[in-house]
Amino acid sequence: MNRVRIKGEEHPIRKIFSDDFVFIIPLYQRPYAWTKEEAGELLEDLLTFLGDGNETIDELNPYFLGSIVLIKSEQPAAEIVDGQQRLTTLTILLAALRASLPTEHANDLTTFLYQKGSLIAGTPNRYRLTLRERDADFFKAYIQNEGGINKLKELNSAELMESQKLIKENADLFLQRFHAIGEQCCIRLAQFIITQCFLVVVSTPDFDSAYRIFSVLNNRGLDLSLTDILKADIIGKIPQQQKQKYTKKWEDTEEDLGRELFKGLFSHIRMIKDKKKLNKSVLKDFQENINPAAAPQQFIDEILAPYANAFSEIVSLRYESVWRAEEINQLFKFLGNIDNFDWVPPAIFYLSRNRNNPDNLARFFTDLDRLAVGLMIVGSNINKRIERYSRLLNAIEQEEDLFNSNSPLQFTPEESNNIVKVLDSDLYLIKRIRLYVLVRLDAALSEGEASYNFSNITVEHVLPQNPGANSEWMKSFPSQQERDQYVHRLGNLVLLSRAKNSQAHNYDFDVKKQKYFTTNTGVSPFVLTTQVLREQEWTPEVIARRQKELINVLKNLWRL
């Protein structure tokens, strides 16, 4: 059995950017992503370490720039598995220094950016670093070639791809900083970077072992994401002639969804496929139980792309159809305000399978909303939620009748009763659900005509929690027992759209209606509050009647 050799060596930058290495960024890597914040932090660290003392460069302590992981044999060609952001930024930094130095020093720095070809020998320039195909020519023309960085300043950022825009912004940042520190400091910095800055190069000739190193580094806390590792694994298994097509499809999907949501998508895909609570890392579970690298094109075409599209429609409320689209997007909006995201996998799964049937979608998401709300109201813990949604995912996959009373999408009579009991209790004291329930109730009363921004809404009492001893409230609710019975119930609660003076909480009813429950226009934007404004008095009988009416509205809304 042949043993795969793994090498780890420390090299100065003059060795990194030499004939010993020809760095290539493979198609499966994500685009250049360092912003001015990361690039600026690197430069300022270098300048701080360099200092403004009189020591010679040789007397300065070495500066460690981190590690890179390569697929590399004895030949110079080196495929970058991890480290492209650092190597790309260092190349931009050297190019900006070259543009800021006298000709003699500038020519010297060029040798670290590319090995010049020969017209006589007919050999082309050999660049120390070649970016992905989308950015390779741009990088050579505007960063690595002499004079290119000055032309880069003239480009319109709005016409560039995101990765190219970041390259331009970081180059501009470096040039401005070098202009500020002056020529002599730039020469000193260039000498320091080339001779006293070091990288640890971990290399192996085998992709699988490089990938394992990459995974270990990720588990040790370096800035490598789950999606980067999976991308390397999945795209790396695709035949060379199809790599570019599927790399573009992957990156277009990630760009449409956004990097953070894209990372979250993989947890949802894992749940859809595995249908159980995670008991190991998402990465390990993916590798062992889903194994997308076994059929990478199929995974991207049939799982990643359609699930990402469904997820995007759900979070951005942009499902489109000839009919019922507004209703479905409204349900997405209400689901988005649930206090957990465990409902997302069945939502993605069902939408991806039924996108062209809006009637089915409206019916399913009405009931998924009902289920998610009910589990939230009774305070189901994560284990109970995961178990329930796992059964629902199985039912969707098996194409069972989801609207049968025995379906995991539906409540049992006991579950419905438990939800009603919570709603009919001291709702105000259940902080995690009180605002959500009242907003949904108000939306039902407004018949879909109102819109809500949860962050600007407060839940308020009509009968105050602590009425004044000489107030009219004490006549209508003379005993503490009676006040305790009604004060936190649904029938005594309203919604307000702005913060009020806390002293106004205790106004008598007539004054409270005029000064506390109305807006500058004299009305309230909430049906719940408008109903209270129509009452002539506020008594136990009024609250009891209102409690019964509002509970019935919620029972009808969620079919309890």
Side-chain angles (χ1 to χ4, degrees):
M1 175 175 152
N2 292 329
R3 295 182 61 189
V4 174
R5 187 181 177 194
I6 297 173
K7 294 173 60 178
E9 298 176 292
E10 181 183 78
H11 296 302
I13 293 302
R14 69 170 180 267
K15 177 83 168 177
I16 297 293
F17 291 114
S18 73
D19 293 351
D20 290 354
F21 295 92
V22 177
F23 295 109
I24 300 166
I25 297 176
L27 283 170
Y28 57 74
Q29 290 280 23
R30 64 180 168 128
Y32 181 66
W34 269 23
T35 65
K36 290 190 291 186
E37 182 176 353
E38 288 98 350
E41 184 178 348
L42 172 63
L43 175 56
E44 295 307 320
D45 281 350
L46 290 169
L47 289 171
T48 300
F49 205 87
L50 177 64
D52 53 4
N54 296 319
E55 306 102 321
T56 65
I57 297 300
D58 290 341
E59 291 175 326
L60 293 172
N61 290 324
Y63 182 90
F64 178 55
L65 284 163
S67 60
I68 59 176
V69 180
L70 309 175
I71 300 172
K72 185 180 184 301
S73 60
E74 297 304 318
Q75 300 301 314
E79 190 171 303
I80 302 171
V81 177
D82 176 44
Q84 68 138 326
Q85 305 294 332
R86 209 169 304 120
L87 289 173
T88 304
T89 305
L90 283 169
T91 302
I92 299 170
L93 184 61
L94 293 176
L97 274 170
R98 180 180 60 184
S100 307
L101 294 178
T103 302
E104 183 178 353
H105 292 88
N107 290 339
D108 195 19
L109 275 180
T110 295
T111 64
F112 299 103
L113 298 174
Y114 69 90
Q115 179 186 4
K116 290 193 175 184
S118 169
L119 291 174
I120 295 175
T123 56
N125 295 337
R126 186 164 76 165
Y127 292 86
R128 307 300 186 197
L129 171 68
T130 299
L131 298 197
R132 302 167 339 122
E133 187 169 340
R134 283 186 174 185
D135 297 324
D137 289 341
F138 175 90
F139 199 67
K140 291 172 185 175
Y142 294 107
I143 295 296
Q144 292 162 306
N145 289 343
E146 294 96 324
I149 206 164
N150 292 320
K151 299 174 185 176
L152 181 64
K153 292 187 290 186
E154 302 171 4
L155 297 183
N156 182 355
S157 293
E159 298 175 356
L160 300 177
M161 291 188 293
E162 184 62 26
S163 55
Q164 296 170 359
K165 187 186 304 181
L166 292 172
I167 290 169
K168 180 182 186 304
E169 289 175 355
N170 290 339
D172 289 344
L173 172 71
F174 292 151
L175 288 170
Q176 291 170 14
R177 189 71 174 98
F178 295 153
H179 178 75
I181 65 177
E183 184 179 284
Q184 288 305 310
C185 188
C186 285
I187 293 173
R188 186 174 162 81
L189 176 62
Q191 292 170 337
F192 174 65
I193 292 173
I194 294 300
T195 63
Q196 293 297 98
C197 291
F198 290 78
L199 278 167
V200 168
V201 178
V202 182
S203 62
T204 172
D206 175 76
F207 175 86
D208 289 334
S209 56
Y211 168 70
R212 283 195 296 273
I213 296 166
F214 187 51
S215 302
V216 169
L217 289 174
N218 182 70
N219 291 334
R220 300 289 163 82
L222 298 187
D223 187 22
L224 309 173
S225 77
L226 162 74
T227 53
D228 293 331
I229 298 172
L230 287 173
K231 182 182 180 185
D233 193 25
I234 295 167
I235 300 293
K237 296 295 193 300
I238 293 175
Q240 190 64 40
Q241 64 271 23
Q242 292 186 297
K243 266 193 171 69
Q244 185 173 357
K245 170 187 173 183
Y246 281 95
T247 298
K248 183 179 187 302
K249 192 165 188 177
W250 181 292
E251 292 174 359
D252 288 347
T253 300
E254 182 175 10
E255 186 173 339
D256 178 63
L257 198 53
R259 187 158 173 81
E260 289 306 310
L261 285 176
F262 188 68
K263 286 193 288 187
L265 172 65
F266 282 82
S267 293
H268 300 317
I269 292 175
R270 187 215 64 81
M271 180 63 182
I272 293 170
K273 296 308 230 178
D274 213 15
K275 302 179 183 64
K276 63 183 180 183
K277 186 178 179 181
L278 186 66
N279 57 12
K280 59 187 76 170
S281 72
V282 176
L283 175 61
K284 191 169 184 180
D285 196 76
F286 242 91
Q287 292 168 334
E288 293 179 358
N289 299 326
I290 299 174
N291 192 17
Q297 298 100 315
Q298 183 180 2
F299 173 78
I300 294 173
D301 288 334
E302 299 179 13
I303 296 175
L304 182 65
Y307 287 5
N309 188 41
F311 191 28
S312 178
E313 289 176 333
I314 290 166
V315 297
S316 61
L317 317 180
R318 59 176 179 85
Y319 171 75
E320 295 181 354
S321 176
V322 176
W323 69 95
R324 306 197 77 166
E326 185 177 352
E327 176 187 354
I328 292 166
N329 286 322
Q330 181 62 58
L331 288 164
F332 292 164
K333 185 175 183 180
F334 282 131
L335 279 162
N337 286 301
I338 296 291
D339 66 358
N340 63 81
F341 298 101
D342 300 320
W343 56 270
V344 174
I348 291 173
F349 195 31
Y350 193 86
L351 177 57
S352 67
R353 286 184 155 210
N354 296 270
R355 174 171 284 100
N356 297 324
N357 193 328
D359 289 332
N360 279 1
L361 291 176
R363 191 178 183 192
F364 172 81
F365 281 103
T366 295
D367 283 7
L368 182 63
D369 167 64
R370 173 177 178 256
L371 175 61
V373 170
L375 294 176
M376 180 175 72
I377 288 172
V378 299
S380 294
N381 62 34
I382 187 170
N383 291 326
K384 290 182 178 178
R385 295 196 305 268
I386 293 296
E387 186 276 332
R388 185 59 165 266
Y389 291 125
S390 296
R391 289 196 287 123
L392 178 55
L393 285 164
N394 271 313
I396 296 171
E397 187 172 67
Q398 299 300 320
E399 298 185 349
E400 296 175 8
D401 181 0
L402 301 177
F403 308 105
N404 182 285
S405 61
N406 295 321
S407 166
L409 184 61
Q410 308 302 324
F411 290 134
T412 64
E414 182 182 7
E415 287 174 327
S416 292
N417 289 336
N418 289 337
I419 295 168
V420 173
K421 285 179 183 177
V422 175
L423 294 172
D424 205 17
S425 65
D426 287 340
L427 183 66
Y428 184 83
L429 299 180
I430 312 175
K431 188 174 181 180
R432 60 183 171 78
I433 65 168
R434 68 191 185 198
L435 176 59
Y436 186 91
V437 170
L438 264 78
V439 167
R440 292 301 304 272
L441 175 59
D442 197 81
L445 292 170
S446 72
E447 298 181 350
E449 295 181 2
S451 61
Y452 305 90
N453 182 344
F454 278 69
S455 62
N456 293 331
I457 304 174
T458 61
V459 177
E460 301 289 340
H461 297 81
V462 181
L463 164 66
Q465 298 183 74
N466 299 295
N470 298 318
S471 68
E472 291 294 319
W473 294 114
M474 302 303 283
K475 297 178 182 177
S476 300
F477 299 85
S479 72
Q480 183 66 49
Q481 181 181 0
E482 194 170 33
R483 293 194 296 275
D484 290 344
Q485 179 183 351
Y486 290 107
V487 67
H488 296 309
R489 302 291 293 283
L490 179 61
N492 189 52
L493 303 177
V494 295
L495 294 172
L496 296 182
S497 59
R498 62 184 185 274
K500 296 282 187 172
N501 185 329
S502 60
Q503 297 301 315
H505 285 210
N506 294 332
Y507 282 153
D508 285 332
F509 185 58
D510 287 343
V511 178
K512 200 170 191 177
K513 285 196 297 181
Q514 296 173 18
K515 294 187 176 182
Y516 193 59
F517 288 163
T518 57
T519 64
N520 293 334
T521 61
V523 295
S524 169
F526 303 107
V527 177
L528 278 169
T529 313
T530 301
Q531 288 178 341
V532 172
L533 293 172
R534 296 180 187 143
E535 299 290 343
Q536 299 303 308
E537 58 180 358
W538 202 253
T539 64
E541 293 75 22
V542 172
I543 296 178
R545 167 176 53 81
R546 180 175 161 82
Q547 178 78 13
K548 184 176 180 180
E549 291 172 352
L550 297 181
I551 288 293
N552 282 334
V553 172
L554 291 175
K555 287 169 71 174
N556 289 331
L557 173 64
W558 291 316
R559 304 195 321 276
L560 300 172

